[in-house]
Every structure is written in structure tokens, then in C-alpha cells.
Amino acid sequence: MASVRHRRQERRTIDSSIHKSRIINWDPTEEFVKSSRVVNNAMQTMHIMGDLGPPGKLGQKENECLLATIKTDGNGTIIVKPDFNKGREPYRIVTEGEKREVWRLTLENVSTVMKPEERDREQNMYRDLYGRHKEYLNSLVGQDFEMVRGILTAEKRDQILTADYNVPALCFEYDNLFINFFMELPNNWSSLPFQPLSGVTHTCRTKSLGKVAFFGYPFSFEAFYMSEKESEELIPQWPVIYFKVLSLDAWQRYRTEGYGYLLFPAMPGKHSVTCHTWRPVQTGTVSALRRFFIGGSAELEDSSYVRIPGTFKMFNVLFVFGFRERG
């Protein structure tokens, strides 16, 4: 069994005298396709020939005809072609020549029937052989795999490309931007213990042309969804990625430039999405002077308040100022 299933690892050099066009068979026959789909082993072949010549002309080579072929290998496999009739109609053999005689060929298995104890002994031998081979394969693979039955694995590989504030009405006020982001997992979602769920990009100065900050910051998240209801087809909530855009100037003054969020894509594949941001603004001259001279401005204590926070279990209605409504 090891000789059948084990892949040969040794390297074989190709003879330079063989033309390269012979490596690929551009017009394979049906027999070639069947023989190429299985592992090729060294086999012994026996041909059973028959002299179908008329009486008095026996022994001539042109009257010889192939009746059957028997192949066997070292593993005890026997291939008989054509197969035994087993009650079916005999095979027809038509000779070549003027008369074109028709012969009827019947192949029968006349071997003695195997005794029950011998059959049981053979079955036990095969069962033991397959069991040892399974243990051998398990020793090669190892036991470091975990069962994921009933668990949905969502792996997200992202890249923060640009921060564009070319639109005057929605532009960021200051330059030298960086983004702080984190992922929120709803109910029935989990991640690996060492999986970081937040990150901070590098600081990027915008280009004068178009005022675009090119980050090119890659990051990846991996989360798992497991529901107690096996019949549940639709996932009620997907993870949310929150973004907080900040600016930093030469005097180490931090300013909040915008908040935003994106839902985890529900469909696999490549996605290009845009995150729209906003920030709370205080009216008045004092707030504007404080933001300009020392930095700092009105900001959210919890960034998840950009949308309905996932911590709200009973109250899903918010006031216009972001507070829970109890009435």
C-alpha cells in the first residue's frame, strides 16, 4: 500500500536527447487517459493467444488472435481483459481474410471458492493494513488541528489607502494625519487570544495636489462566528471597524479630525469601500482658539457612539445628542 500511495520524492533528470515536444501528449487516446489517472506500477502481463486458422493451416502467424490479457502486480492485483462473462453473452471474434469466420469466446472463473476462514483472515489482514497506514498518515500530519464544525471563519485583509479631503465642505482642517482604528465583535463572535483588534497608522503628510494622504497601511483581522442554533442561515450582525482620524503638528498638538465606521463585508472577494467621517464641533470663539493654539476639541468618549453601540441590549433608540431614550 505504501508503494501505491506514497509519492516519489527523488528527482529525475530529463534526457537532453528527448525532444521537448514529446513531454506533452497533445492528442491523447482514451486508453492513455485511463492509464494516466492511476499510479503506474510494474506489472507482469500474460497474453492468451489462439490459432483460429482453418484445419491444415495451423501454426501460421497471420491466423493468431489475442483472446485475453492477464496482468498482475506485486500487491496481488489481477486484471483480466476482457472480463469474465458471468452469464452474459459470449464475446465475438471476427477473423480477417476471405471467409471472415466468427468465433464465440467465453471466459469463466473456475478457481476454487475461498473458504470462510480464509476470507475472514484476508479481511482482517486488509483491515490491519489500512489501520496501520492510517496511523502512519496521522503521524505525518499531526494532531494540531481544531474542529471548526458549525463555526464560520471570517478573515479580512485590508489596506488603508488614502485619506481624501478634497471636498471643501467635508475637508479635514489640519495636515499630518494618522488613523486609529479598532474592531468591535458582536454577540457569538470571537477571535484568537493573540489577535490584535486595534491599530494605529503612521503619520502622513498630504500632497499639495488634491490634498490626499496616501497611507498604504495593511492590516488583517480574523474572527469566528458560532451560533447555538444550527438551523440559523443568516448572520444577524457582522463585526464593525471604527476609524478615528487625528492630526499631529510640529508642536505635538493632537486634534480630532473625524470619526467613521465600516461594516464587515458580508460577501467574500475584493471590496473597495469609502468611510465617511464626521466630528462634533463646539461653537464659539473660545473653542476655536483652544483648538488652534493648544489642540484638543470636542470628541467622543466612546468611539462606538458613531453608530448605535453594540453595548445597548434593550434600548436601540438614541436622542439626537447620542443618549439613550428610555421613554
Side-chain angles (χ1 to χ4, degrees):
M1 189 170 183
S3 62
V4 174
R5 299 182 181 271
H6 184 65
R7 297 182 178 180
R8 299 180 179 178
Q9 302 293 338
E10 65 269 10
R11 298 177 179 267
R12 297 183 179 180
T13 58
I14 301 177
D15 190 0
S16 59
S17 62
I18 300 178
H19 198 269
K20 293 183 178 181
S21 61
R22 298 181 183 178
I23 299 177
I24 302 176
N25 189 354
W26 297 103
D27 190 15
T29 61
E30 185 178 355
E31 187 68 23
F32 176 80
V33 173
K34 292 182 179 179
S35 61
S36 300
R37 290 175 62 89
V38 298
V39 180
N40 296 323
N41 288 333
M43 305 189 69
Q44 295 182 356
T45 305
M46 181 179 67
H47 300 287
I48 300 177
M49 309 295 293
D51 191 348
L52 304 183
K57 294 184 179 180
L58 299 177
Q60 296 182 6
K61 189 174 183 179
E62 59 271 10
N63 295 329
E64 292 182 358
C65 181
L66 178 63
L67 302 181
T69 302
I70 301 177
K71 296 182 180 180
T72 179
D73 57 5
N75 298 321
T77 303
I78 300 177
I79 301 175
V80 180
K81 187 177 181 181
D83 196 4
F84 300 114
N85 293 88
K86 298 178 182 179
R88 295 187 295 266
E89 292 293 329
Y91 299 104
R92 293 168 53 89
I93 300 178
V94 182
T95 60
E96 297 181 359
E98 298 178 357
K99 295 185 178 181
R100 298 185 62 84
E101 298 178 348
V102 178
W103 295 75
R104 297 165 65 89
L105 174 64
T106 302
L107 296 177
E108 295 182 2
N109 183 12
V110 296
S111 302
T112 57
V113 181
M114 183 181 297
K115 297 180 180 180
E117 56 270 12
E118 294 179 354
R119 186 184 300 108
D120 296 339
R121 190 184 306 112
E122 184 182 17
Q123 293 296 331
N124 294 333
M125 181 186 64
Y126 280 122
R127 192 179 301 109
D128 181 65
L129 176 62
Y130 279 96
R132 285 185 295 174
H133 187 69
K134 183 179 179 180
E135 294 177 359
Y136 171 72
L137 294 179
N138 291 336
S139 64
L140 294 178
V141 176
Q143 304 294 333
D144 297 335
F145 294 94
E146 58 180 353
M147 298 298 295
V148 293
R149 183 178 302 174
I151 300 177
L152 172 65
T153 302
E155 184 174 358
K156 183 176 178 61
R157 301 183 183 275
D158 303 301
Q159 185 177 13
I160 300 177
L161 293 178
T162 61
D164 189 355
Y165 55 123
N166 193 21
V167 182
L170 303 176
C171 65
F172 297 134
E173 188 175 0
Y174 290 91
D175 201 351
N176 297 326
L177 303 176
F178 67 95
I179 300 176
N180 185 4
F181 58 92
F182 67 93
M183 183 170 67
E184 181 185 48
L185 298 178
N187 295 331
N188 299 327
W189 285 88
S190 61
S191 62
L192 299 176
F194 56 85
Q195 171 72 54
L197 299 180
S198 62
V200 180
T201 66
H202 52 274
T203 303
C204 180
R205 179 178 299 176
T206 60
K207 296 291 185 178
S208 58
L209 180 61
K211 290 187 176 181
V212 179
F214 295 95
F215 288 100
Y217 183 84
F219 64 95
S220 62
F221 289 131
E222 186 175 4
F224 306 94
Y225 176 80
M226 181 173 59
S227 176
E228 297 179 356
K229 300 179 181 180
E230 297 182 356
S231 61
E232 187 176 1
E233 298 181 358
L234 299 178
I235 299 177
Q237 292 182 349
W238 286 88
V240 185
I241 303 179
Y242 293 93
F243 298 94
K244 181 179 179 181
V245 185
L246 301 100
S247 62
L248 175 65
D249 59 9
W251 295 92
Q252 299 297 315
R253 291 175 294 191
Y254 291 89
R255 300 178 177 89
T256 302
E257 302 295 337
Y259 295 92
Y261 73 94
L262 290 175
L263 292 178
F264 210 95
M267 298 296 296
K270 181 180 179 181
H271 304 273
S272 179
V273 294
T274 301
C275 178
H276 300 279
T277 60
W278 63 272
R279 67 178 180 90
V281 177
Q282 287 180 317
T283 60
T285 307
V286 177
S287 175
L289 292 176
R290 182 171 63 249
R291 177 176 173 85
F292 178 79
F293 286 102
I294 63 176
S297 59
E299 59 181 15
L300 299 178
E301 182 178 357
D302 187 356
S303 298
S304 62
Y305 273 73
V306 177
R307 60 190 296 270
I308 298 178
T311 56
F312 287 1
K313 304 297 182 182
M314 300 175 56
F315 307 98
N316 294 329
V317 180
L318 301 179
F319 282 126
V320 66
F321 297 107
F323 297 99
R324 288 184 295 182
E325 181 180 6
R326 295 183 179 273

